Amino acid sequence: MVRKESLAQLLDEGRRKIQVTDEELAEAKRRRRLLAASVRRAFAGSTAYFNGSVAHGDANTPLTDVDLGVVLTKKDAEPYGPGKKSALTLMEIARDAIHEDIGDEFPKLTIEVEGRRRAILVRFGDPVTPGQADFTADVMTAIPHPSGRGLYIPNTKIAAQWDRADPITHTRMVLQAIEDTKVVFARTVRLLKHWNGTHSKPMCSWNLKALCLNCLDEPMPLINALQVFFTYAADEIDKRPTPDPAGVAGPIPLNMPRADVYKRLCTARKYIDLAIEHEKDGRPVLAQHTLHQVLPELVAKPDATEEEADRLARAVRSGGPAATGLGLATGLVTTTRTRAWGD
């Protein structure tokens, strides 16, 4: 007997496989607190902020890094900024303070400043997730923007040495979306980050989240959230690069040409649409097989008998060009894994 699960069950099981564990999260947050205390001590009167996957509530396992920043007071920030001093001195101060404060607890600790674009890189020499090589932290030294909106953050790769950004608002927007969707936002992002990593990483994680902020604003099943995302994201990427949700920084860059990203998004959207159609029409095994193309490591290929696979293949062939065009007409009886690359 073939085990038949709904798409909702398959996705719930899948996101649980990659969700960060309580133990990983607790240790990552503890180390983040240590770093925040250290940089606040180094810069009297400063404030620390948290961003990235741990702060946004969408971290996956294995957990390998954490992100945070420190914002100087207006007075201390006066010598720094575009046309003034770079952040190098600030980065060196932060490095020395962190070494002094946590070096004894982490004897393999190393901190990189030279050549870093935006933040110092802290290598603990001690992983949070068993079996991983290490655990790292990006610690950014930022200054207030004169307008009061956002920050100036370091960018050692450009002449001005500073970029405008608003990571604090980004985190607030993500947390609000998680609340508004009753956690669906974070769970969808987890799945999307896995999809992204499985299919050549066409986009950075922040781009995925920025797009989600504009299309996921209420609770819904995860399969529908994926459908909404891929539909919206494909249309948006086809038109333009993703703008900064906070309206402060420039467009979010892609990891490959926009046409290629669009292609991958369209392919994933077609698979999701077809999976939903199969489930609606009472073909759960075929629905699972279709969803497997999008999330191959999270949704298992159906364990159908040859007879069942043959029947399903015939059903796909009779389903019209949409199924055939996605490569599903013969995929049920082959051991070769097909991915929604869009190539």
Side-chain angles (χ1 to χ4, degrees):
M1 174 69 76
V2 178
R3 183 185 177 192
K4 299 176 182 178
E5 294 179 282
S6 69
L7 294 177
Q9 289 172 316
L10 291 168
L11 288 174
D12 198 49
E13 290 173 6
R15 63 96 182 165
R16 290 178 186 277
K17 291 177 185 177
I18 56 174
Q19 182 172 317
V20 67
T21 67
D22 291 342
E23 293 76 16
E24 290 172 294
L25 203 54
E27 179 58 16
K29 288 183 176 180
R30 184 185 77 85
R31 297 187 191 187
R32 189 179 64 178
R33 287 194 300 270
L34 292 176
L35 294 171
S38 186
V39 293
R40 283 199 306 267
R41 179 183 68 78
F43 303 103
S46 64
T47 57
Y49 67 87
F50 302 140
N51 62 318
S53 63
V54 172
H56 293 173
D58 54 48
N60 284 342
T61 189
L63 187 56
T64 57
D65 57 31
V66 71
D67 302 282
L68 68 150
V70 60
V71 184
L72 275 64
T73 64
K74 288 184 179 180
K75 181 178 179 180
D76 289 343
E78 285 179 1
Y80 303 93
K84 301 179 182 179
K85 295 175 64 176
S86 76
L88 181 60
T89 301
L90 303 178
M91 296 165 83
E92 291 172 341
I93 292 171
R95 175 197 61 197
D96 295 344
I98 293 169
H99 261 306
E100 182 178 347
D101 291 348
I102 68 173
D104 288 343
E105 181 179 353
F106 300 98
K108 296 181 180 179
L109 182 78
T110 61
I111 305 175
E112 297 178 15
V113 171
E114 189 68 29
R116 298 293 300 169
R117 180 186 180 194
R118 295 202 182 280
I120 63 174
L121 177 63
V122 179
R123 298 184 185 276
F124 285 88
D126 181 13
V128 161
T129 306
Q132 293 301 300
D134 201 355
F135 183 77
T136 66
D138 282 333
V139 183
M140 189 176 293
T141 50
I143 60 176
H145 191 271
S147 69
R149 290 187 62 217
L151 307 170
Y152 272 133
I153 62 173
N155 186 349
T156 62
K157 305 301 182 183
I158 63 173
Q161 293 288 298
W162 297 86
D163 270 338
R164 194 176 175 189
D166 199 348
I168 297 172
T169 295
H170 291 165
T171 297
R172 185 172 68 247
M173 294 173 76
V174 167
L175 295 179
Q176 185 62 54
I178 292 173
E179 181 180 340
D180 291 344
T181 62
K182 300 189 184 302
V183 196
V184 169
F185 184 96
R187 291 174 177 176
T188 304
V189 168
R190 283 196 172 99
L191 293 171
L192 290 172
K193 289 198 293 187
H194 188 82
W195 166 81
N196 192 55
T198 304
H199 302 294
S200 308
K201 293 187 178 179
M203 311 165 75
C204 70
S205 295
W206 175 236
N207 206 332
L208 295 170
K209 284 186 262 194
L211 289 165
C212 282
L213 284 171
N214 286 324
C215 65
L216 299 181
D217 57 6
E218 62 184 5
M220 65 183 76
L222 284 176
I223 187 64
N224 297 110
L226 290 178
Q227 185 181 44
V228 167
F229 170 83
F230 285 119
T231 300
Y232 176 81
D235 290 344
E236 285 297 302
I237 292 297
D238 186 38
K239 292 186 291 189
R240 59 177 179 171
T242 308
D244 172 29
V248 167
I252 304 170
L254 297 169
N255 294 337
M256 59 177 62
R258 192 152 55 94
D260 293 339
V261 178
Y262 172 70
K263 210 171 175 183
R264 282 163 170 74
L265 291 167
C266 286
T267 301
R269 178 187 64 194
K270 290 175 183 176
Y271 276 113
I272 295 295
D273 288 347
L274 191 57
I276 292 172
E277 180 184 333
H278 285 317
E279 181 168 69
K280 181 180 177 182
D281 292 342
R283 299 186 292 268
V285 177
L286 198 50
Q288 179 176 341
H289 177 76
T290 308
L291 187 58
H292 166 78
Q293 313 306 311
V294 183
L295 299 167
E297 277 82 19
L298 300 187
V299 177
K301 197 170 185 178
D303 184 20
T305 64
E306 283 193 26
E307 181 180 353
E308 174 76 355
D310 216 33
R311 183 185 69 79
L312 291 170
R314 288 197 303 273
V316 177
R317 282 194 292 270
S318 66
T324 306
L326 287 172
L328 296 179
T330 58
L332 282 163
V333 292
T334 178
T335 57
T336 302
R337 186 173 71 194
T338 303
R339 292 181 175 179
W341 293 79
D343 292 335

Coordinates of all heavy atoms in Angstrom, one line a residue, residues 7 10 33 37 68 78 80 93 99 120 163 203 223 237 270 275 286 295 298 315:
L7 N -0.4 17.5 0.8 CA 0.7 18.4 0.5 C 1.0 19.2 1.8 O 2.2 19.5 2.1 CB 0.3 19.4 -0.6 CG 0.2 18.8 -2.0 CD1 -0.3 19.8 -3.0 CD2 1.5 18.1 -2.4
L10 N 3.1 16.9 4.0 CA 4.5 16.8 3.4 C 5.3 18.0 3.7 O 6.5 17.9 4.1 CB 4.4 16.6 1.9 CG 3.8 15.2 1.5 CD1 3.5 15.3 0.0 CD2 4.8 14.1 1.8
R33 N 24.5 37.4 22.7 CA 24.5 38.3 23.8 C 25.9 38.7 24.3 O 26.1 39.8 24.7 CB 23.7 37.6 25.0 CG 22.2 37.6 24.7 CD 21.4 37.3 26.0 NE 21.8 36.0 26.6 CZ 21.3 34.8 26.3 NH1 20.3 34.8 25.4 NH2 21.7 33.7 26.8
A37 N 27.2 42.5 24.4 CA 27.7 43.2 25.6 C 29.1 43.7 25.4 O 29.4 44.8 25.9 CB 27.6 42.2 26.7
L68 N 24.8 40.6 14.1 CA 24.4 41.7 15.0 C 25.2 43.0 14.6 O 26.2 42.9 13.8 CB 24.6 41.4 16.4 CG 26.1 41.2 16.9 CD1 26.2 41.6 18.4 CD2 26.6 39.7 16.7
E78 N 30.4 61.4 14.8 CA 30.7 62.6 14.0 C 32.0 62.5 13.1 O 31.9 63.0 12.0 CB 30.9 63.8 15.0 CG 29.6 64.3 15.5 CD 29.8 65.5 16.5 OE1 31.0 65.8 16.7 OE2 28.8 66.0 17.0
Y80 N 33.0 60.0 11.5 CA 32.8 58.9 10.5 C 31.7 59.2 9.5 O 30.8 60.0 9.8 CB 32.6 57.6 11.2 CG 33.6 57.2 12.3 CD1 33.5 57.6 13.6 CD2 34.8 56.6 11.9 CE1 34.5 57.3 14.5 CE2 35.8 56.2 12.8 CZ 35.6 56.6 14.1 OH 36.6 56.3 15.0
I93 N 38.5 48.4 17.1 CA 38.1 48.6 18.5 C 37.2 47.4 19.0 O 37.4 46.8 20.0 CB 37.4 49.9 18.8 CG1 38.4 51.1 18.6 CG2 36.8 50.0 20.1 CD1 37.8 52.5 18.6
H99 N 37.9 40.1 21.7 CA 39.0 39.2 22.2 C 39.2 39.3 23.7 O 39.4 38.2 24.3 CB 40.3 39.7 21.5 CG 40.7 38.9 20.3 ND1 40.8 37.5 20.3 CD2 41.0 39.3 19.0 CE1 41.2 37.1 19.1 NE2 41.3 38.2 18.3
I120 N 33.1 42.8 10.9 CA 34.2 42.0 11.3 C 33.6 40.5 11.4 O 32.4 40.3 11.7 CB 34.8 42.4 12.7 CG1 33.8 42.3 13.8 CG2 35.3 43.8 12.6 CD1 34.4 42.6 15.2
D163 N 27.6 52.7 3.2 CA 26.4 52.6 2.5 C 25.2 52.9 3.4 O 25.3 52.8 4.7 CB 26.2 51.1 2.1 CG 26.7 50.8 0.7 OD1 26.9 51.8 -0.1 OD2 27.0 49.6 0.4
M203 N 19.2 33.6 -5.6 CA 18.9 34.8 -4.8 C 19.5 34.7 -3.4 O 19.6 33.6 -2.9 CB 17.4 35.0 -4.7 CG 16.6 34.9 -6.0 SD 14.8 34.7 -5.8 CE 14.4 36.4 -5.4
I223 N 1.5 25.2 1.4 CA 1.5 25.0 -0.1 C 0.9 26.3 -0.8 O 1.4 26.7 -1.9 CB 0.7 23.7 -0.5 CG1 0.9 23.5 -2.0 CG2 -0.8 23.9 -0.1 CD1 2.3 23.1 -2.4
I237 N 10.3 39.9 -10.3 CA 11.7 39.8 -10.9 C 11.7 40.0 -12.4 O 12.7 40.5 -12.9 CB 12.3 38.4 -10.5 CG1 12.5 38.3 -9.0 CG2 13.6 38.1 -11.3 CD1 13.5 39.3 -8.4
K270 N 5.2 26.6 -11.7 CA 4.5 25.6 -12.5 C 4.4 24.3 -11.7 O 3.3 23.6 -11.7 CB 5.1 25.4 -13.8 CG 5.0 26.6 -14.8 CD 5.8 26.4 -16.0 CE 5.7 27.7 -16.9 NZ 6.5 27.5 -18.1
A275 N 1.1 20.5 -8.6 CA 0.9 19.7 -7.4 C -0.4 20.0 -6.8 O -1.1 19.0 -6.3 CB 2.1 20.0 -6.4
L286 N 0.8 11.5 -7.2 CA 1.3 12.3 -8.3 C 1.6 13.7 -7.7 O 2.6 14.4 -8.1 CB 0.3 12.4 -9.4 CG 0.9 12.9 -10.8 CD1 2.1 12.1 -11.1 CD2 -0.2 12.7 -11.8
L295 N 11.3 20.6 -3.9 CA 12.0 20.4 -2.6 C 12.5 18.9 -2.5 O 12.0 18.2 -1.7 CB 11.1 20.8 -1.4 CG 10.6 22.2 -1.4 CD1 9.5 22.4 -0.4 CD2 11.7 23.2 -1.1
L298 N 13.5 17.5 0.9 CA 12.5 17.6 2.0 C 11.2 16.8 1.7 O 10.6 16.4 2.7 CB 12.1 19.1 2.2 CG 13.2 20.1 2.6 CD1 12.6 21.4 2.9 CD2 14.0 19.5 3.7
A315 N -1.5 8.7 -16.5 CA -2.3 9.8 -16.1 C -1.7 11.1 -16.4 O -2.4 12.1 -16.9 CB -2.7 9.7 -14.6

